[in-house]
């Protein structure tokens, strides 16, 4: 399937591919390059530190669960 890129570099992922891979509006998609190809991978919504899927918040385009946010704050306050 070929799609035209717009002025801002956007393309539309065809509906049949979105359905096949379970992609929905708001999902994160990782964009990488492998062997000269652009690879799109659905990012499962999990904490980047512990892998939890509960109580997630976005920070710097990464998902972090509340317990890890608390631990990071405590670590920062203790100077560690």
């Amino acid at each position: 399937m070929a799609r035209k890129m717009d002025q801002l570099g956007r393309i539309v992922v065809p509906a049949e591919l979105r359905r096949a891979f379970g992609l929905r509006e708001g999902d994160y998609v990782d964009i990488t390059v492998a062997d000269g190809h652009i690879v799109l991978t659905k990012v499962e919504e999990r904490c980047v530190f512990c892998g939890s899927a509960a109580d997630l918040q976005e920070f710097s385009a990464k998902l972090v669960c509340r317990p890890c946010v608390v631990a990071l704050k405590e670590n920062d306050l203790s100077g560690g």
Side-chain angles (χ1 to χ4, degrees), residues 1-33:
M1 289 179 225
R3 292 291 185 263
K4 187 174 181 179
M5 184 178 297
D6 73 8
Q7 293 177 354
L8 298 176
R10 297 177 296 201
I11 58 168
V12 174
V13 177
E16 51 271 19
L17 289 177
R18 294 193 311 266
R19 279 193 297 273
F21 289 93
L23 291 168
R24 294 185 307 263
E25 182 180 342
D27 284 347
Y28 286 90
V29 177
D30 186 50
I31 305 169
T32 56
V33 175

Side-chain angles (χ1 to χ4, degrees), residues 30-56:
D30 186 50
I31 305 169
T32 56
V33 175
D35 298 323
H37 294 88
I38 299 170
V39 179
L40 304 177
T41 306
K42 180 180 177 180
V43 175
E44 296 300 326
E45 295 191 359
R46 302 216 173 267
C47 176
V48 295
F49 295 108
C50 70
S52 172
D55 205 9
L56 298 171

